[in-house]
Amino acid sequence: MEKKYDFTKREKKWGRFWEKENVYKFSPESKKDIYSVDTPPPTLSGKMHIGHAFSYTQQDIVVRYKRMTGKNVFYPFGTDDNGLPTEKLVEKEKKVRIFDMERKDFIKLCQKTVKELRPAFIQDWKDVGMSCDFELEYSTITSEIQKLSQKYFLELYKKKRAYKKEGPAVWCPVCQTAIAQAEMEDKEKEGVFYDISFKTQKGQITIATTRPELLASCVAIIVHPEDKRYKKFVKEKATVPLFGHEVEIIKDKEVDKSKGTGAVMCCTFGDVTDIEWFYAHNLPLRVCVNKDGKLNELAKKYKGLSIKEAKEKIVADLKKESFIKKEENITQITNVHERCSAPIEIIPTNQWFIKCLDLKKELLKMGRQLSWTPPHFKTRYDNWIKGLRWDWCISRQRYFGIPFPIWYCKHCNKEVAANIKDLPVDPFSSKPKKKCCGKQDFIPDKNVLDTWATSCLTPQIAQNLVKNKKVKEKLFPMSLRPQSHDIINFWLFYTVLRSNLHFKKLPWEEVVISGFTLDEKGEKMSKSKGNVVEPKTVIEKYGADALRYWTASVGFGEDIRWSEKELQAAKRTLTKVWNASKFSISHLENYKPKKSIDKKKLEEEDKWFLSKFQKTLKEYTSHFEKHHYQKARRVVDSFFWNDFCGNYIEMVKKRLYNEERNPEGARFATYHCLLGIMKLYAPFIPFITEEIYQGHFNKFEKEKSIHLTDLPKIEKELSFPSSMKNIEDIIEIFTAVRKFKSEKGISMGKEIEKLTIQTENKSIAKNTAVIKDTLKVKEIAFGRGDVRISDKLFLKIED
RNA sequence: GGACGGUUAGCUCAGUUGGCUAGAGCAUCUCGUUUACACCGAGGAGGCCGCAGGUUCGAGUCCUGCACCGUCCACCA
C-alpha cells in the first residue's frame, strides 16, 4: 500500500470500477427483498449545487446501508429537464429570449441544450459517489415519458378530475404563464400607500391602495359592515377617478377597519382577496392588464403602458386633479414568482386544473400512514393540505414541456382527446383520427403540462424502467422517497395526490427529509446571495469521501453549516483510516483469515476488542434502522479511533512484531474487526473503504466490491462480558500512568521500572503481560499503591 | 396572525425511559517524535444547559409562560 492516499486518483479509479463492473446494478432475477428508491430527479442546470451533494449523499448513505443488509436495491437516476426551469436555463445558456423565437425552433434549441449539458451534469452525481444504477436512467422530456405523462393525464380527464376552466389564475407576466399556488413566494418591496378619494352622492369616500394603476379595473368599494364612518355610503355609487365608471359601495367583514382608510377598492384582479370578493358579491369582470403585463383598452389613454409606467402616469394625473389625499411610503410584502421574482398578477384565463379540494380528508389520512423522518415534517404536509384553496393548475403557457393531448374543433370548439394508443402526441404536428362537425379541422391545445405534473409520476416512471412484469409489480409502492423539505408542498404532495387518484395507494412506505446547506454565517446558501460553495471545488480539495463524511455529521431534517474546518477534520479521519489499515494489513500479510477461532488462542485484550465490536455493531444497526445515520457514524468513529487506534493496536503491537502471546488471536481479531470497520464505514466513505478492501480483503472475501458484501452479523460467541470489564479496568490504569508521564514530562516511550497495583479486580493479575507491553513497564507488583486513581484503584509508579 | 424546529464550553454539536460530578470534535494552553500516523499521542483549562415559574427526594431532560433565531403557511387592499 502506498504511503500516502491519493484520493483524486483513487476516487476516479473506483468510480470507473463500479461503473464497469456494474456494482450497483439492479438485478430483477435476484430473490432478495427489493428496496426501491424514488430518487429525486434533479432539475437540469449547469452543475451540481452543494445542497444537492448534501442531500443526495444522505440518501445514498441510507441506500448503501440497505444494500449491505442484503436488500436488492432498486435505485434509479433521472433528470427533470422540461418546462419552465429548463427554458430559463436555455435562455441563459444560449442568450436567447423565448418570445423572440418560433415555438418549434425554441423547442429544438432546448432539446439540443439538454443533450449537451446532461452528461456532465450527471457525472457530478457519480463523482460524489452516488450508488444509483445509472443504467436505470430517465429524462422527463423523452417521448416515452411524454407518453406516460399524457396517459395519466387522459385518465384523469376521462374521470373528469382534470378539467378546463376560465377563471382568475395566478399569472407571471414575465414568464407569461399561469403558475400554481405553491410557486408563489413572498418578497419585501418598497411601495407607496395612496389615499384616493371617490365622488358619491353623499360626498367623498377615500380608499387606500398600493395599486392605483388598477383603477380601471375597480369594480366595487368595500367597507366593514360595522364601520360607522362608512355606514351612510353603503349601497351608494361611487365614481372612479380618471376613468369615470361607477362602482357600488358594499360591505364585507373581511375588510380590516384599521388598515389604511378602512375602505378598500376591489379590482379584477389586484390580489387573492379580490377573487373571493368577486365570487362572493357576484361582481362584474373588468380586466385591464394583459397577459404580457401591459394595460389594455379598458385603461383608455394608458393603454399599452406597462404596470410600472402606468402607475407613474396615473399617480401624476390623480395628483393633478387632487384625488390623492395622502401618500405614505411603506415596505409591503408582495407575491412574486419563485422562478423569476417578478410580481405576479391575477388574470382570468382558460386553464387546466386537477380537482383536489374534495380529497383533503383522504390526503391527510395518507399522510398519517406514511412514515416520516424526521416525524415533525408531517405537520407541514398537514398544514399545507388544510390551507389549500384552489385546485391544482397544471397548464403552463410555455413551449418546452409535455403538451396536452387535446385539440379543439375549429367549428364547434369541442374538446377532442387523443387515443391512448396514439400517445405520445404533439397536437401541433398531428391531428385526431376522428372527425368533428364532419371535418378534420382542429386547433391544438397550446398549453404544456406543469413540470410537477410529470415529475410527481416518478414512481411510475421508475417502475417503467423495468420490463419484467412480475418485478415491476413489486416496485410499487416504493420503499423510500428521499427529498428536501422545501418541496413537501409540491413534489411530495403532488405525488401522493396522483397516487391516490390513479391507484388509491400510498406511493411509498417512508419518506426521509433533508435540510439545507448554510454558509459559515448560518445563512442559507443561494445563488442570488453569492455565498455558494461548489461541490466540485470541495471534491478537488478534500475528496468526495471527505465531503460525504461531513454531510453525515447532521441527520435528516437538519441544516448543515459550511465549515472548512470540518472538512479538514473529515480528511484527517480518512488519513487515520488509511494509516491504521496500512499498518494492520502489513501484519496480516501471511495470515489466512478464519471464520472462527479456538478461544484458547484469544488473549483478554482480543476478547475485549471483539466484544466491543459486537456492541458497536449493535448500536450502529439500531441507529441505521431509525435512519439516524449520523449517530451510526459517531459510533464507528469512536470504536475506530479510540478502541482500535488508541488502545487495541497499542496493546497488540508487541505480539504482532515478536510473534509472542498468541499472535494468532491478535491477527484474528485485527482482521475481523478491521474488515468490520471498513464495512461499517463503507456507506459513508465508499471510495477509501473500497481501496482498502481491494488492497487486501478481496483476496479472501468472495464479493468483488466491499459494497456488495453484507454487514457483519452479531456473533454471540465473540462476546466476552468479563473481558470487557477487565480490560476497561486495565485501560483505567493506562490512563493513570499516561497522565503521570505527561505531568512529569516523560515521553510515552520511556520505560517504567516498577508499577505497583492495588485493586479489587483479581483478574488483572492474570493479564500483566498486556500492561507491560502497552505501558512499557519492566516489573509489575501487587500491593499498596500511594496514588489514588479511584475508590478501587491505587497505584505506585517508579520511573 | 398560525404551525413546526432550535437555544448546552470561544465555535459546531452529543446528551436514550428524569439519576449528570453535563460529554465529543475544532480552537486554546502544557508536555511528548523516530518499528502505523505531526493529517500524531498524552494531559490541562474552559459550562447560572436562553429566561422565569412549577412538578419531584432529584430537572439539561417533564409541565406552564416568556424571549430570541430559523423555516413553512396565512395576511399582504
Side-chain angles (χ1 to χ4, degrees):
Chain A
M1 284 167 84
E2 45 189 25
K3 191 154 191 312
K4 263 196 155 180
Y5 176 65
D6 181 349
F7 64 85
T8 312
K9 226 163 91 190
R10 297 293 149 183
E11 289 184 356
K12 279 215 177 92
K13 178 180 169 187
W14 297 118
R16 281 195 299 263
F17 172 81
W18 297 331
E19 210 164 346
K20 205 177 126 233
E21 296 288 325
N22 284 320
V23 167
Y24 307 121
K25 195 174 170 58
F26 171 67
S27 44
E29 56 287 335
S30 162
K31 290 212 170 80
K32 293 177 183 175
D33 282 348
I34 292 178
Y35 191 80
S36 50
V37 186
D38 188 10
T39 324
T43 302
L44 184 65
S45 64
K47 51 195 157 192
M48 187 194 234
H49 178 273
I50 189 91
H52 284 133
F54 171 67
S55 58
Y56 279 84
T57 302
Q58 292 182 339
Q59 44 162 292
D60 185 62
I61 289 169
V62 168
V63 176
R64 282 177 180 274
Y65 166 78
K66 291 286 176 187
R67 188 180 289 113
M68 293 179 82
T69 58
K71 296 273 194 278
N72 182 18
V73 167
F74 175 82
Y75 195 17
F77 188 86
T79 53
D80 195 7
D81 35 28
N82 79 65
L84 196 53
T86 309
E87 289 185 347
K88 293 267 162 200
L89 174 74
V90 171
E91 283 184 311
K92 207 180 123 205
E93 285 281 321
K94 300 288 172 190
K95 300 195 170 60
V96 295
R97 283 182 49 205
I98 179 168
F99 298 117
D100 295 345
M101 291 178 73
E102 285 291 318
R103 178 191 167 98
K104 63 176 193 321
D105 295 337
F106 188 73
I107 291 175
K108 255 192 196 150
L109 185 64
C110 286
Q111 278 161 341
K112 192 177 150 235
T113 313
V114 166
K115 231 181 198 166
E116 282 166 15
L117 296 177
R118 219 169 154 268
F121 185 66
I122 295 176
Q123 188 60 40
D124 286 351
W125 266 259
K126 294 179 180 171
D127 289 346
V128 86
M130 289 291 288
S131 66
C132 296
D133 178 350
F134 284 93
E135 281 176 20
L136 291 173
E137 184 226 26
Y138 63 86
S139 151
T140 54
I141 195 64
T142 56
S143 64
E144 238 167 289
I145 288 174
Q146 298 215 11
K147 179 176 163 183
L148 183 131
S149 185
Q150 287 180 336
K151 183 186 105 184
Y152 284 112
F153 165 77
L154 286 179
E155 197 179 314
L156 298 182
Y157 175 75
K158 281 178 188 155
K159 287 188 196 165
K160 302 221 157 46
R161 266 283 154 194
Y163 65 92
K164 200 167 190 187
K165 195 180 110 187
E166 160 102 46
V170 182
W171 185 269
C172 174
V174 171
C175 303
Q176 300 210 21
T177 179
I179 59 173
Q181 183 179 352
E183 287 170 278
M184 289 195 280
E185 209 174 59
D186 285 352
K187 202 178 172 186
E188 270 202 2
K189 261 187 69 182
E190 298 299 314
V192 188
F193 208 20
Y194 298 97
D195 286 4
I196 301 171
S197 68
F198 284 48
K199 280 188 189 122
T200 76
Q201 296 280 335
K202 299 201 171 163
Q204 285 188 348
I205 183 165
T206 305
I207 60 103
T209 182
T210 55
R211 304 206 57 189
E213 72 275 17
L214 293 180
L215 273 175
S217 284
C218 180
V219 289
I221 287 177
I222 308 181
V223 297
H224 195 274
E226 266 129 56
D227 196 330
K228 284 175 191 149
R229 293 172 293 179
Y230 302 117
K231 269 215 159 120
K232 62 171 182 183
F233 290 109
V234 173
K235 291 203 170 149
E236 288 294 314
K237 300 267 184 213
T239 311
V240 178
L242 303 183
F243 296 94
H245 62 280
E246 285 199 330
V247 296
E248 197 179 350
I249 298 166
I250 53 181
K251 52 188 183 180
D252 191 300
K253 58 181 185 316
E254 285 295 304
V255 174
D256 182 351
K257 286 190 281 187
S258 61
K259 195 148 198 170
T261 61
V264 52
M265 72 167 177
C266 173
C267 305
T268 53
F269 295 97
D271 67 22
V272 180
T273 7
D274 286 342
I275 302 178
E276 272 160 27
W277 285 329
F278 166 75
Y279 284 121
H281 300 283
N282 219 349
L283 297 169
L285 192 62
R286 283 180 71 93
V287 180
C288 73
V289 181
N290 277 344
K291 290 176 182 173
D292 57 1
K294 289 188 174 152
L295 300 204
N296 62 21
E297 45 288 331
L298 208 66
K300 292 183 175 166
K301 68 177 205 184
Y302 307 100
K303 181 187 166 185
L305 297 180
S306 73
I307 289 163
K308 205 179 148 204
E309 294 161 348
K311 185 183 255 174
E312 281 168 25
K313 283 229 162 113
I314 289 174
V315 167
D317 289 348
L318 284 169
K319 275 184 186 166
K320 227 185 274 166
E321 299 188 35
S322 323
F323 283 114
I324 293 191
K325 298 294 166 200
K326 200 177 118 193
E327 54 187 300
E328 189 188 346
N329 290 316
I330 52 160
T331 38
Q332 55 171 346
I333 295 151
T334 45
N335 278 325
V336 299
H337 183 200
E338 55 151 14
R339 300 275 183 200
C340 71
S341 293
I344 57 105
E345 292 294 330
I346 294 163
I347 293 180
T349 50
N350 225 340
Q351 301 291 347
W352 286 97
F353 293 87
I354 291 178
K355 191 173 151 194
C356 55
L357 295 179
D358 59 323
L359 295 173
K360 285 189 178 189
K361 247 192 180 163
E362 273 181 60
L363 294 168
L364 287 170
K365 192 176 155 205
M366 288 171 94
R368 283 194 298 275
Q369 289 162 343
L370 186 61
S371 152
W372 297 75
T373 305
H376 69 257
F377 279 110
K378 181 186 158 285
T379 316
R380 194 176 287 187
Y381 171 85
D382 290 348
N383 287 345
W384 174 253
I385 291 176
K386 287 177 193 159
L388 272 180
R389 299 161 78 182
W390 295 323
D391 284 337
W392 176 18
C393 172
I394 52 161
S395 48
R396 298 294 120 100
Q397 291 65 52
R398 302 288 295 192
Y399 295 163
F400 190 56
I402 300 182
F404 283 74
I406 300 282
W407 297 264
Y408 304 94
C409 171
K410 240 181 197 167
H411 307 281
C412 69
N413 205 29
K414 197 183 149 200
E415 281 167 14
V416 178
N419 289 323
I420 291 203
K421 65 172 170 35
D422 297 330
L423 300 178
V425 130
D426 177 8
F428 276 86
S429 58
S430 64
K431 283 194 173 172
K433 301 246 159 91
K434 44 192 162 186
K435 288 181 179 176
C436 189
C437 299
K439 287 179 185 164
Q440 265 195 309
D441 279 350
F442 293 99
I443 42 173
D445 187 299
K446 291 187 179 125
N447 299 301
V448 295
L449 283 155
D450 175 11
T451 25
W452 296 108
T454 302
S455 57
C456 71
L457 295 169
T458 46
Q460 283 67 51
I461 294 174
Q463 203 182 5
N464 249 31
L465 296 169
V466 172
K467 296 297 160 236
N468 183 319
K469 243 192 174 175
K470 268 197 178 157
V471 178
K472 220 171 176 174
E473 273 165 27
K474 287 192 203 153
L475 291 171
F476 186 83
M478 303 190 85
S479 314
L480 179 73
R481 156 62 74 85
Q483 65 164 77
S484 64
H485 61 76
D486 56 334
I487 50 174
I488 289 175
N489 303 341
F490 302 61
W491 196 40
L492 188 139
F493 169 72
Y494 293 143
T495 311
V496 174
L497 172 69
R498 291 301 282 276
S499 193
N500 172 291
L501 292 175
H502 299 289
F503 313 102
K504 285 270 168 219
K505 257 189 211 170
L506 257 186
W508 340 271
E509 283 158 27
E510 43 181 9
V511 56
V512 293
I513 306 280
S514 53
F516 286 139
T517 36
L518 310 175
D519 66 7
E520 293 110 315
K521 292 179 206 140
E523 282 181 49
K524 193 181 153 184
M525 277 191 189
S526 69
K527 266 186 206 155
S528 53
K529 277 188 203 150
N531 59 353
V532 291
V533 177
E534 287 188 13
K536 220 168 209 150
T537 326
V538 180
I539 291 175
E540 274 164 20
K541 204 164 165 192
Y542 300 101
D545 275 339
L547 175 60
R548 293 175 62 101
Y549 185 88
W550 167 66
T551 65
S553 56
V554 304
F556 279 121
E558 293 168 332
D559 293 343
I560 196 168
R561 203 157 162 162
W562 169 254
S563 155
E564 198 93 28
K565 285 246 163 71
E566 293 294 320
L567 264 297
Q568 283 160 4
K571 219 180 140 196
R572 214 171 299 135
T573 304
L574 296 175
T575 306
K576 190 81 177 171
V577 166
W578 182 249
N579 285 327
S581 306
K582 193 173 56 168
F583 174 72
S584 311
I585 288 169
S586 72
H587 291 289
L588 293 173
E589 257 155 29
N590 301 316
Y591 170 73
K592 265 200 164 170
K594 295 196 179 91
K595 279 242 162 88
S596 58
I597 187 157
D598 180 359
K599 282 183 189 132
K600 281 180 208 141
K601 295 201 166 160
L602 292 175
E603 295 287 320
E604 198 72 350
E605 62 268 29
D606 304 328
K607 293 181 180 171
W608 161 79
F609 187 52
L610 289 164
S611 311
K612 199 90 202 246
F613 179 64
Q614 299 302 309
K615 196 176 162 232
T616 303
L617 188 57
K618 225 170 159 178
E619 288 174 8
Y620 176 92
T621 310
S622 109
H623 288 316
F624 250 119
E625 287 302 318
K626 291 178 219 146
H627 294 311
H628 294 162
Y629 56 82
Q630 82 281 22
K631 292 180 185 172
R633 197 206 79 186
R634 248 173 261 138
V635 167
V636 193
D637 283 343
S638 165
F639 178 72
F640 166 68
W641 208 296
N642 301 329
D643 299 324
F644 184 50
C645 300
N647 287 313
Y648 187 69
I649 292 188
E650 294 304 321
M651 287 189 243
V652 299
K653 244 179 200 172
K654 232 180 146 186
R655 288 166 63 198
L656 294 174
Y657 285 132
N658 304 338
E659 302 264 326
E660 60 186 28
R661 285 175 55 228
N662 277 325
E664 179 82 5
R667 295 210 172 94
F668 174 82
T670 304
Y671 183 95
H672 185 81
C673 297
L674 180 65
L675 175 58
I677 290 168
M678 289 310 120
K679 286 183 178 184
L680 299 192
Y681 264 142
F684 300 98
I685 44 177
F687 294 96
I688 195 167
T689 49
E690 182 78 297
E691 170 77 23
I692 292 163
Y693 180 83
Q694 302 289 347
H696 184 74
F697 296 101
N698 73 330
K699 285 176 230 153
F700 312 103
E701 310 291 324
K702 57 180 190 293
E703 287 80 9
K704 63 183 170 188
S705 160
I706 189 169
H707 304 297
L708 295 175
T709 64
D710 281 343
L711 288 172
K713 301 260 177 330
I714 290 167
E715 291 171 85
K716 279 209 182 112
E717 56 277 20
L718 292 182
S719 200
F720 309 90
S722 65
S723 311
M724 285 280 268
K725 169 84 178 81
N726 292 337
I727 296 291
E728 265 151 35
D729 285 350
I730 287 172
I731 289 174
E732 201 181 352
I733 297 172
F734 292 173
T735 309
V737 173
R738 281 167 184 161
K739 185 173 172 176
F740 171 85
K741 281 184 172 174
S742 185
E743 276 167 359
K744 292 218 161 181
I746 304 170
S747 95
M748 291 299 143
K750 189 160 184 288
E751 290 192 321
I752 283 174
E753 288 299 321
K754 188 175 175 188
L755 175 68
T756 310
I757 303 168
Q758 181 187 338
T759 172
E760 288 171 15
N761 186 344
K762 297 209 170 92
S763 300
I764 290 181
K766 290 185 213 153
N767 293 292
T768 52
V770 66
I771 303 175
K772 278 186 179 172
D773 285 0
T774 314
L775 291 176
K776 307 208 161 73
V777 177
K778 282 188 183 163
E779 187 190 344
I780 289 182
F782 288 85
R784 277 191 70 83
D786 51 6
V787 185
R788 181 185 173 279
I789 308 302
S790 72
D791 288 348
K792 291 174 183 169
L793 179 66
F794 292 82
L795 295 179
K796 191 176 174 194
I797 305 162
E798 294 160 61
D799 56 325

